[in-house]
Amino acid sequence: MNGLAGKERTGRLGRTCPGRLRPAALIAAAGMLAFAGGCGKGAEEGRTLDAAGTGAGATAEMAGHLSDGSDAKAPSKPADAPVADGLGVTDTEKSNADIRIDKREEREGISYEAAPTDLNFWYEEDSYTSFLELAAARYYEETGVKVMPRQISGSLDYLGEIYDATMENEEFPDLYLLPGECLEEAYLYGLAAENTRSTEADGIVPCALLASQYGGRRLGYPLNYNACVFVFQSDYFGNAPQSLQEIIDYSKENDPAENVEYLLEWDVNDPFYDFPFFSNCVSFEKTEAERMTIVYDEALYQQDLEYFEGILESFSVDAERVSEDSIVENFLTGRTLSAIIDTDSLKRLDGYGYALMKMPNLNETLTANSSSVTTLVIVNDFTEQEDAAADFAYFVTVTMADELHAASGHYSVIPSADPDWVEGVALEAYTSAVPAPDSKDAKRFWVDLKETILKYF
């Protein structure tokens, strides 16, 4: 038995998905899922860069990065509502053109602001605000259907709020954003309608489609991803390090500039960033819906613990003050030589010369990998506007995919037609990462990981 122990997970993977579950009759059997490795077609190694930020094997144009529960009756679904078989198509599925509700003639001369709301869209993070407002305005222009984005900020039980509002038949969301790790609980709540529209033909990476599946059905519309990447100062390191140990060894031979304070930083308070240090010893195995087993390789786990304890004297991380924001700021000012950050933070480095690769190994024998989270648009299965909600979900995730990064800083699960090398590395990190499992049984792992790490600080 491993020595991990803890109480409550927090941080990037810290959302506490609510525990008030829907009846067991809603649960569908699922096939065996193993999350021990990457979920896509990523390359075996990350894109490494030389001191000038040039990708090894990359084309010239990709080189460098110097770019500027209530008692009230819940809304009911029709008893004869069609159900799809597996990931197939319902017997009433419409084409994209047929499914779209067109209210342009009805709303002619009425501005978006003055029009009555047709669909409510809930989300948590402010980073999505500009993009969702843009998508809603664009959709109104094309269809006359008004989607109203609403940020639910500071909630300790976001999915629970959606459930309560839906059960109380208040102004509940017709669709909402949700991290893929909470998909199981959204389904067990009865809050996730089936997605019969998104496919690989839309350009969505297989990794993201996998994250949208539960119980043999595709439920969510994948929007964006997040995974850890490794950034380092290209003017200090001569070559891309192949391991964290190589960074330590290199620093012993080469003195940094006087203003350098940290050799390596990462947010030790968030298990999302701690996961690479223990990724090689754990796997998540799901044999049926609602049942996930956390499997440890005890020998590797002990080696990881010993390595982690040994390197901390080289990495003077301040657990009380460190945060993703402070890490990025320290890196931009040259106080930090290398850092583990997430792909969402890469946009903040625009205009700064640095080198980038996916997570390197710990040393020559201990491998390391990132975890990944896929954000989904979920259509509430209780909405009376399911066709319209599904059409907007498709619109915001597929039609608007090219607008996502510029408006929000998040990378779309549909890669750019001509991605720069930064997006290329980000995508490689995502497709080779271990997906954060969508099971309540996995919560304990993240709690335990966080508390284990903090014991060393």
Side-chain angles (χ1 to χ4, degrees):
M1 184 68 180
N2 70 73
L4 298 178
K7 298 179 181 178
E8 188 75 27
R9 66 177 177 152
T10 58
R12 178 72 59 176
L13 289 166
R15 299 175 178 84
T16 303
C17 300
R20 295 168 291 173
L21 302 180
R22 300 289 290 167
L26 291 171
I27 302 171
M32 176 72 171
L33 294 177
F35 295 89
C39 58
K41 299 178 180 179
E44 289 300 314
E45 300 296 334
R47 185 183 304 281
T48 56
L49 297 95
D50 59 25
T54 304
T59 59
E61 61 269 19
M62 293 175 66
H65 184 210
L66 298 173
S67 63
D68 301 323
S70 169
D71 292 332
K73 184 176 291 186
S76 59
K77 296 288 289 181
D80 58 351
V83 177
D85 179 14
L87 293 179
V89 178
T90 66
D91 56 5
T92 59
E93 184 184 20
K94 305 173 181 64
S95 69
N96 290 0
D98 292 335
I99 200 173
R100 176 157 292 186
I101 297 173
D102 194 336
K103 290 191 174 185
R104 285 176 295 179
E105 184 175 344
E106 176 186 334
R107 299 275 170 85
E108 186 176 359
I110 302 176
S111 67
Y112 171 86
E113 292 75 14
T117 297
D118 298 298
L119 297 171
N120 288 298
F121 190 120
W122 286 17
Y123 65 102
E124 285 189 281
E125 295 183 27
D126 184 60
S127 58
Y128 291 99
T129 298
S130 295
F131 171 70
L132 291 176
E133 289 177 348
L134 174 65
R138 191 81 55 81
Y139 192 71
Y140 183 76
E141 291 177 2
E142 293 191 14
T143 67
V145 175
K146 179 175 179 177
V147 180
M148 176 57 71
R150 176 187 173 190
Q151 184 183 6
I152 308 298
S153 58
S155 175
L156 297 177
D157 191 3
Y158 170 65
L159 194 52
E161 288 192 28
I162 294 174
Y163 176 78
D164 288 342
T166 303
M167 293 302 103
E168 292 165 8
N169 205 7
E170 294 180 347
E171 197 174 76
F172 62 88
D174 299 281
L175 62 171
Y176 54 94
L177 279 187
L178 189 75
E181 59 171 321
C182 295
L183 183 59
E184 177 182 85
E185 298 195 40
Y187 176 73
L188 297 179
Y189 262 160
L191 298 174
E194 187 167 0
N195 168 11
T196 60
R197 315 240 341 244
S198 300
T199 67
E200 285 188 52
D202 295 313
I204 302 171
V205 294
C207 202
L209 291 174
L210 179 63
S212 69
Q213 296 176 18
Y214 179 80
R217 298 184 179 188
R218 183 169 298 135
L219 302 177
Y221 296 74
L223 177 65
N224 65 276
Y225 62 84
N226 197 21
C228 287
V229 288
F230 188 77
V231 296
F232 56 98
Q233 302 288 359
S234 56
D235 59 353
Y236 173 73
F237 292 96
N239 296 293
Q242 299 303 304
S243 68
L244 298 185
Q245 186 61 48
E246 189 174 306
I247 292 175
I248 297 174
D249 296 340
Y250 184 83
S251 67
K252 292 177 180 179
E253 305 273 336
N254 300 271
D255 293 330
E258 291 184 2
N259 67 315
V260 172
E261 298 179 26
Y262 303 103
L263 179 58
L264 170 68
E265 278 196 294
W266 76 97
D267 188 352
V268 298
N269 299 301
D270 192 328
F272 183 72
Y273 304 97
D274 296 327
F275 180 79
F277 293 93
F278 298 90
S279 60
N280 57 20
C281 70
V282 65
S283 60
F284 307 96
E285 297 180 357
K286 198 166 189 177
T287 55
E288 58 180 319
E290 273 204 291
R291 292 289 183 270
M292 177 165 282
T293 303
I294 314 300
V295 181
Y296 285 93
D297 183 315
E298 293 295 337
L300 277 176
Y301 175 68
Q302 292 302 322
Q303 292 179 53
D304 289 340
L305 283 176
E306 292 173 6
Y307 178 81
F308 187 78
E309 184 175 14
I311 65 171
L312 283 184
E313 59 186 55
S314 299
F315 302 147
S316 55
V317 179
D318 188 343
E320 294 184 359
R321 299 182 181 180
V322 72
S323 68
E324 182 77 350
D325 287 340
S326 68
I327 291 170
V328 173
E329 181 62 26
N330 285 342
F331 188 78
L332 286 170
T333 57
R335 292 194 295 269
T336 295
L337 290 177
S338 61
I340 301 170
I341 64 173
D342 59 30
T343 54
D344 283 347
S345 298
L346 289 173
K347 187 172 178 59
R348 297 176 58 185
L349 300 181
D350 283 352
Y352 183 78
Y354 67 99
L356 172 69
M357 62 186 292
K358 74 172 194 174
M359 187 68 201
N361 292 329
L362 303 183
N363 58 26
E364 291 183 355
T365 59
L366 297 175
T367 61
N369 206 350
S370 171
S371 180
S372 66
V373 174
T374 305
T375 298
L376 310 169
V377 175
I378 306 292
V379 172
N380 191 334
D381 203 29
F382 285 105
T383 179
E384 295 180 357
Q385 309 293 330
E386 185 171 336
D387 283 352
D391 189 57
F392 182 72
Y394 185 87
F395 178 84
V396 77
T397 57
V398 177
T399 307
M400 293 288 294
D402 288 342
E403 312 270 1
L404 178 62
H405 185 65
S408 70
H410 301 290
Y411 279 111
S412 170
V413 296
I414 301 177
S416 302
D418 186 22
D420 61 20
W421 68 267
V422 179
E423 182 182 357
V425 176
L427 183 64
E428 185 176 42
Y430 172 57
T431 57
S432 62
V434 179
D438 63 336
S439 172
K440 63 184 187 301
D441 294 333
K443 290 180 181 179
R444 184 68 187 181
F445 168 77
W446 299 110
V447 174
D448 294 347
L449 177 57
K450 176 183 176 179
E451 295 221 348
T452 296
I453 293 293
L454 292 183
K455 286 178 181 178
Y456 293 93
F457 294 92

